[in-house]
Structure formats: structure tokens, C-alpha cells
Amino acid sequence: MKVFVVLSIALVVASCAATDDSFSKKEKRGLWDLGFDHGSHGFDDYQQDDHQEVKHVTITKKVPVPYPVEVEKHVPVPVKVPYPVHVEKKVPVYVEKKVPVYVEKKVPVHIDRPVPYPVEVKVPVVTKEYVEVPKPYPVHVEKHVPVYVHKPVYVEKHVPVTVSVKKHTKKHW
């Protein structure tokens, strides 16, 4: 295991020493530097000699500085003011105050019945009730049975019928 660690460290050191710094140097190129000569395009021959004077005007104004202003607002507020009340008869009145008093002493109280006494409580119990049913007996039931007639029977019955007769008269034009 030690041999593996020593060999791996030696490999790392050797690989770092083998790298050349000349390949890793990177230069930043300008806007027109594309790797070929651009002077033949005539950009270098043009010179701008036309200088114009620009007129500058400075405007100064006073800006007001904010300052605190006190504003008085009158708001009506109800105030409870005690005032004297006239009493015709001045009589002293005693107000009774209820103060709880704790008594440490136990007082025996006589009870007219013994403390554990039996209590009778009626609880409904479900019991089976037997109902006597009479024995079955025969009952005669009349059944109407239709009788089918195979031949049709015609019955003659006289029914009065009124017939109205209309007179047709022929009109000649």
C-alpha cells in the first residue's frame, strides 16, 4: 500500500513539472484583432481634425430644506370630573364585608340513618313469554271459477235508434 501511495505522488509531481507555461499564456484580443493585418482597410489613415466647442450652461437653484412644523389640533375629550353631592341627612352607613373564615376543628354531625344502607333498584329482566296458539282447523273459502263457453251466443235486444233525414234541394244558377 505504501508503494502505491509513493508512486502516485511521484506521478503527480512529474506531471506538474512537465507542463509548459508558454502554451498556457493567453492574450486578450481587441475588437479588431482577428489574427490578420487590418491596416489595409484604411481605418488607420482617417484622422478626425474637426473639433467643435460644446457650450456648457450650469443652472443653480436653491432647494428648500425641510424643517419641522408644529400643528395644533383641538380635539374634544370627555373628562370625568367629580363634583360634590348635597345630602340632607348625614347618617353613618356601615357596609358589611364578607370575609372567609377557615375553621380547623372538625364538628361531629348526627345522621339519623346508617351510612352504608342497601338501595333497591328495579332492573328490567327479559324473560320469555309463551303464547298459546290453537291448532289449525279447516276453513271453507269460496272461489269463483270462470266458465268458458266454446260457442258464441247471440242475444237479440231491441234498441230504439233515431235517424235524421236531410232534404237536398238543388239550386239552379
Side-chain angles (χ1 to χ4, degrees):
M1 185 71 182
K2 291 180 183 180
V3 175
F4 176 71
V5 173
V6 171
L7 287 176
S8 63
I9 291 174
L11 181 65
V12 169
V13 171
S15 66
C16 290
T19 59
D20 188 13
D21 289 337
S22 64
F23 293 116
S24 65
K25 184 178 178 185
K26 296 184 172 65
E27 295 179 4
K28 292 185 180 179
R29 293 183 276 178
L31 183 64
W32 296 104
D33 189 14
L34 300 175
F36 54 88
D37 186 20
H38 63 277
S40 62
H41 295 290
F43 291 116
D44 292 336
D45 297 335
Y46 179 72
Q47 294 179 359
Q48 184 176 3
D49 291 332
D50 189 19
H51 295 290
Q52 295 179 357
E53 290 187 22
V54 180
K55 184 177 179 182
H56 296 285
V57 178
T58 306
I59 300 172
T60 57
K61 287 186 178 181
K62 290 186 177 180
V63 178
V65 179
Y67 58 93
V69 178
E70 294 182 9
V71 178
E72 291 184 8
K73 292 184 178 180
H74 299 287
V75 179
V77 177
V79 179
K80 294 180 179 178
V81 180
Y83 55 91
V85 179
H86 179 68
V87 180
E88 291 180 13
K89 294 180 180 180
K90 294 186 177 180
V91 177
V93 176
Y94 299 107
V95 178
E96 212 177 285
K97 292 183 180 178
K98 294 183 178 179
V99 180
V101 179
Y102 298 104
V103 180
E104 298 278 335
K105 186 178 176 184
K106 294 183 179 179
V107 180
V109 180
H110 178 70
I111 302 175
D112 59 342
R113 60 185 178 273
V115 176
Y117 63 95
V119 180
E120 293 182 9
V121 179
K122 292 184 177 180
V123 179
V125 180
V126 178
T127 58
K128 290 183 176 180
E129 290 185 27
Y130 293 102
V131 180
E132 189 175 328
V133 178
K135 292 181 178 178
Y137 56 91
V139 178
H140 179 68
V141 178
E142 275 191 40
K143 290 185 179 178
H144 298 288
V145 180
V147 178
Y148 295 109
V149 179
H150 296 291
K151 294 181 180 178
V153 178
Y154 297 110
V155 178
E156 290 185 8
K157 186 175 179 184
H158 297 290
V159 179
V161 178
T162 59
V163 178
S164 62
V165 179
K166 290 185 178 181
K167 291 185 179 181
H168 293 287
T169 57
K170 216 175 196 182
K171 292 184 179 181
H172 298 290
W173 292 88

